[in-house]
Amino acid sequence: MAKLLVKLQRYFRRKPLRFFTLLALYLAAGSLVFLHSGFAGEPAVPGNRRSPGAGEGPGLPYLGVMQLSRGFKAAATGPEGGRRHGPWFKSTSKEPVERGKAGDHGTTRSRALRGRRGSEKEEDRARYVGCYVDNTRQRTLRGVSFFDYKKMTVFRCQDNCAERGYLYAGLEFGAECYCGHKIQAPNASESECNMECKGERSNTCGGVNRLSIYRLELAQESARRYGSAIFRGCFRRPDNISIALPVSQVMLNMSVDKCVDFCTEKEYPLSALAGTACHCGFPTTLFTLHEREDEQLCAQKCPGEEFESCGTADYLLVYQTQVQDNRCMDRRFLPTRAKQLVALASFPGAGNTWARHLIELATGFYTGSYYFDGSLYNKGFKGERDHWRSGRTICIKTHESGQKEIEAFDSAILLIRDPYKALMAEFNRKYGGHIGFAAHAHWKGKEWPEFVANYAPWWATHTLDWLRYGKKVLVVHFEDLKRDLFVQLQRMVGLLGITACEDRLLCVEGQKDGNFKRSGLRKLEYDPYTPEMRKMISGYIKTVDTALKLRNLSGVPDDYYPR
């Protein structure tokens, strides 16, 4: 060993340049490793160790405050469109599939029933409808279809149909998935849908010429699509239809596609079917699309397609075409420097980027940010590069929750979201990107429990700090904004000192999704929250609810509490 060291010493004495080169490379590699670990980590949460009494409601100890670096980026989401008449293709998804236990020796009937019960436990995903007859000449579900003869699962089929905007997902032969808007076949016996899914033996995926059909419970979460158009609903005929919907055409062989194509060609965002008449126009105060009627009132068969409804003379079936409504798309910086700084404050994952999108469309002015996110700038948020104190933007996005940071703003819109949804959204952003999803390994590993332990207390302290230190705070619940966008957006725009134009707000309703929404159904096939996590988070919810009510505000929505 000593001889080897002596040889190395003599070698580098003769050629010192090589020695210094190797030393420089070693130091550079060490620096890169250090920098990578610094960027990959999340900011720490000081003072956030839970005591045994944490999560017990109003008597909670101090929860701690998380300070964010200037490089923190918020979650963003975006929708994915889908056509009704898509190609036949084989699934290429590489998402991990959790297989059931191999020792399933029950009867066919019991296995089918277990599959039903297991699927029905999937919260906020889909509802099992039944077993239906299917054949190759006339499909029961006539939308996109795909096959996966190795890893087909109920969830995978539901997810693919949901991403394409369909209402129903059906499985057949244990490996085939069909999507559609209507079930166009009679029922079959439940015992006939008895084939195991190729990717999970614990569930059944239809049978021979038999479909196990699920109704996707996402009509409220994402738009229902019909081909290239978005279904808006059934509405009563407006009083002066020639003004409300100025372009019309009689079509004796009427179908949804024909009316939608006609209005698309005429460059109108709305297509309304009234029997054999097709009307085109914009959403206006004469036709707001706010008062939906029972769809059965519009259930008159189309002359050109017996399995479609075309509305009646008194009740119109309305679809949104792919034509963009440009009445709310113009945006610019404020013409004069703003006298007050207005914060758009939220916990990460609470929909801040989506709210910015809505505010920009509703006001016509860019929003700014306390941080800088190049990807958001590239997606059209031009105020992202401005310093947050520039005064050129209508409001400033922030996730800060410290007293000094809060008192820097003159007023604030405080956006609050269900912590269970917000935590999952932020975890997906952290490990999957703005509109991606965290891998199953992250959910199952140590990352998720650590994330909840650190971020759940911050969800509460963020709201409590803004209520305590904020000046003129307008509280908006994310769920209320989704449920009643027009009214809530009016409130938000009012705080910003902008007179809201109703036609512009109606335009925003048609463009509300933007590109900031994760597509499809929830990507987890299980509930990631343990009973201990739920107990802790429930305590934080009660604390925030009490704080809101003490300020004569409405408490948190009922759906924050798990059923």
Side-chain angles (χ1 to χ4, degrees), residues 138-149:
Q138 197 170 25
R139 290 292 180 188
T140 302
L141 296 176
R142 301 180 183 179
V144 167
S145 59
F146 78 103
F147 312 138
D148 190 336
Y149 292 101

Side-chain angles (χ1 to χ4, degrees), residues 315-525:
Y315 292 94
L316 313 182
L317 268 182
V318 179
Y319 293 84
Q320 184 174 320
T321 71
Q322 288 186 319
V323 176
Q324 187 176 64
D325 189 344
N326 291 319
R327 296 176 300 165
C328 58
M329 299 308 293
D330 59 301
R331 286 169 290 177
R332 64 189 189 280
F333 288 103
L334 291 172
T336 57
R337 184 183 175 88
K339 296 180 180 179
Q340 294 189 330
L341 291 176
V342 183
L344 178 60
S346 74
F347 175 79
N352 197 303
T353 304
W354 181 55
R356 289 177 67 187
H357 166 73
L358 298 176
I359 289 171
E360 290 195 0
L361 295 186
T363 64
F365 295 112
Y366 290 120
T367 59
S369 176
Y370 196 82
Y371 322 99
F372 170 69
D373 188 333
S375 65
L376 291 182
Y377 177 84
N378 293 334
K379 286 185 176 180
F381 288 98
K382 300 304 180 186
E384 194 75 16
R385 278 190 175 177
D386 269 37
H387 189 275
W388 65 279
R389 286 185 177 274
S390 70
R392 297 206 305 160
T393 53
I394 193 69
C395 64
I396 311 297
K397 160 191 169 176
T398 180
H399 297 310
E400 302 298 314
S401 56
Q403 179 179 357
K404 180 181 177 182
E405 288 78 6
I406 292 172
E407 290 178 345
F409 293 95
D410 300 294
S411 58
I413 298 170
L414 177 59
L415 190 62
I416 305 174
R417 186 182 186 184
D418 178 350
Y420 294 103
K421 301 287 181 64
L423 288 169
M424 291 179 70
E426 175 58 12
F427 190 74
N428 276 321
R429 182 211 64 82
K430 179 181 177 182
Y431 290 102
H434 276 295
I435 57 174
F437 292 87
H440 283 253
H442 292 127
W443 293 100
K444 288 292 190 180
K446 66 179 182 178
E447 294 91 343
W448 172 243
E450 290 178 355
F451 178 87
V452 173
N454 288 332
Y455 276 64
W458 183 31
W459 176 86
T461 58
H462 183 276
T463 298
L464 298 178
D465 282 357
W466 277 95
L467 292 175
R468 181 179 180 185
Y469 302 118
K471 313 165 194 172
K472 195 179 178 182
V473 177
L474 173 68
V475 174
V476 176
H477 292 284
F478 175 86
E479 293 74 18
D480 292 338
L481 185 59
K482 284 181 64 179
R483 192 179 300 115
D484 194 356
L485 186 142
F486 189 88
V487 171
Q488 296 301 324
L489 197 53
Q490 270 187 324
R491 295 176 63 224
M492 295 163 70
V493 171
L495 182 78
L496 298 173
I498 303 293
T499 302
C501 171
E502 286 193 32
D503 279 357
R504 188 169 185 117
L505 291 178
L506 291 170
C507 170
V508 175
E509 285 188 312
Q511 315 287 332
K512 63 182 179 181
D513 284 340
N515 296 312
F516 315 104
K517 185 178 180 182
R518 287 184 176 83
S519 61
L521 298 166
R522 183 162 53 91
K523 295 296 181 183
L524 288 182
E525 300 185 19

Side-chain angles (χ1 to χ4, degrees), residues 185-202:
N187 283 87
S189 171
E190 288 297 320
S191 61
E192 296 180 60
C193 287
N194 57 14
M195 295 187 71
E196 293 176 347
C197 300
K198 296 296 183 181
E200 53 177 350
R201 293 192 63 190
S202 60

